């Protein structure tokens, strides 16, 4: 996971653009986990950097060397959960979509994921910088799953290749919005089950749209 405020990539343990002792990946993991736990226990409004540092067992100065404030820290704590989503090759586009939807729904059932996501989204309605960070750290990164799924489907001959890169980008955005928006709404707003039966119906509907004739 990349933290833009520090130029650090936790996936590699590298620190860019600064000197001194490298950051500890273990400390980052502990801090982000502590942030999610604190959100569940305290909620957004009562959560402080002091709470997180105490739970993680690190000095508060350690937090501020990594994150400028609570907003950045919470978004990265949510992003770490979403970065765990995977899209193994299930043999068909329909199976790939069904798998990732169920995996996403399982993630949203976790109290730390549900609470953290709802908190940052609610707060972002009043904070444009926070919306930008959510977009770059969570939304844009998770579009990788759509890109991978489409590339596999094109290689199998299930979907046509697109020559227009702008159109490809728009299509990727739309597919992501449809899947993420629908699952989040059902799981977190409507509080309805995202079970295999519902996923099969949703996937069939999405496949109909993907394989149907493009608008003229």
């Amino acid at each position: 996971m990349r933290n833009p405020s520090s130029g650090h990539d936790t996936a590699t343990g590298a620190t860019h653009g600064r000197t001194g002792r490298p950051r500890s990946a273990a400390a980052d993991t502990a801090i982000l986990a502590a942030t999610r736990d604190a959100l569940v226990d305290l909620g957004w409004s009562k959560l402080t950097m002091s709470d997180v540092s105490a739970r993680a067992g690190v000095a508060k100065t350690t937090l501020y060397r990594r994150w400028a404030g609570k907003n950045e820290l919470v978004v990265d704590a949510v992003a770490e959960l979403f970065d765990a989503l995977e899209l193994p090759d299930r043999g068909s586009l329909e199976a790939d979509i069904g798998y990732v939807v169920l995996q996403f729904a399982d993630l949203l059932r976790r109290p730390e994921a549900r609470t953290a996501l709802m908190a940052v989204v609610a707060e972002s309605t009043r904070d444009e910088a926070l919306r930008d960070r959510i977009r770059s750290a969570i939304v844009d990164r998770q579009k990788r799953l759509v890109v991978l799924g489409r590339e596999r489907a094109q290689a199998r001959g299930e979907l046509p290749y697109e020559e227009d890169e702008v159109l490809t980008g728009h299509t990727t955005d739309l597919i992501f919005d449809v899947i993420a928006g629908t699952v989040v709404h059902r799981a977190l707003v409507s509080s309805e089950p995202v079970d295999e039966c519902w996923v099969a119906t949703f996937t069939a509907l999405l496949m109909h749209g993907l394989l149907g004739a493009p608008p003229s």
Side-chain angles (χ1 to χ4, degrees):
M1 180 190 64
R2 187 172 179 79
N3 176 9
S5 64
S6 68
H8 173 260
D9 189 335
T10 56
T12 62
T15 303
H16 309 291
R18 60 186 296 177
T19 58
R21 187 172 58 184
R23 280 171 54 168
S24 165
D28 284 356
T29 298
I31 291 167
L32 296 175
T35 302
R36 294 188 293 267
D37 289 344
L39 267 174
V40 173
D41 293 343
L42 304 173
W44 177 277
S45 61
K46 294 182 179 179
L47 175 68
T48 67
M49 299 292 269
S50 296
D51 294 318
V52 174
S53 66
R55 289 169 183 258
V58 300
K60 191 159 65 172
T61 53
T62 300
L63 291 185
Y64 283 109
R65 282 198 297 268
R66 290 159 161 79
W67 292 275
K70 182 171 76 172
N71 287 5
E72 293 86 351
L73 175 59
V74 173
V75 171
D76 283 3
V78 177
E80 184 180 56
L81 292 177
F82 282 85
D83 283 345
L85 293 174
E86 298 178 344
L87 186 62
D89 190 342
R90 311 291 289 185
S92 71
L93 177 59
E94 187 169 6
D96 286 354
I97 293 173
Y99 180 89
V100 79
V101 168
L102 284 170
Q103 187 183 185
F104 184 31
D106 285 343
L107 174 61
L108 294 179
R109 291 189 189 99
R110 294 169 56 178
E112 67 272 25
R114 182 170 59 247
T115 301
L117 180 61
M118 294 292 275
V120 295
V121 169
E123 189 65 20
S124 72
T125 62
R126 300 184 292 271
D127 188 332
E128 184 175 353
L130 181 57
R131 286 198 301 274
D132 291 341
R133 191 174 181 89
I134 291 171
R135 186 180 301 112
S136 63
I138 301 175
V139 176
D140 289 346
R141 284 220 296 259
Q142 294 315 309
K143 287 178 183 176
R144 64 186 169 84
L145 299 174
V146 177
V147 172
L148 176 59
R150 293 189 73 209
E151 288 176 348
R152 284 179 181 164
Q154 289 166 342
R156 298 186 194 109
E158 296 174 290
L159 291 178
Y161 286 96
E162 292 174 346
E163 300 296 333
D164 188 333
E165 292 186 2
V166 174
L167 178 59
T168 296
H170 289 331
T171 304
T172 296
D173 290 346
L174 180 58
I175 294 171
F176 179 87
D177 289 345
V178 169
I179 294 175
T182 302
V183 177
V184 168
H185 187 278
R186 183 168 178 86
L188 301 185
V189 179
S190 299
S191 296
E192 296 288 345
V194 183
D195 53 24
E196 291 189 4
C197 181
W198 181 88
V199 170
T201 302
F202 170 65
T203 302
L205 182 64
L206 185 59
M207 289 293 296
H208 179 75
L210 289 171
L211 299 176
S216 58

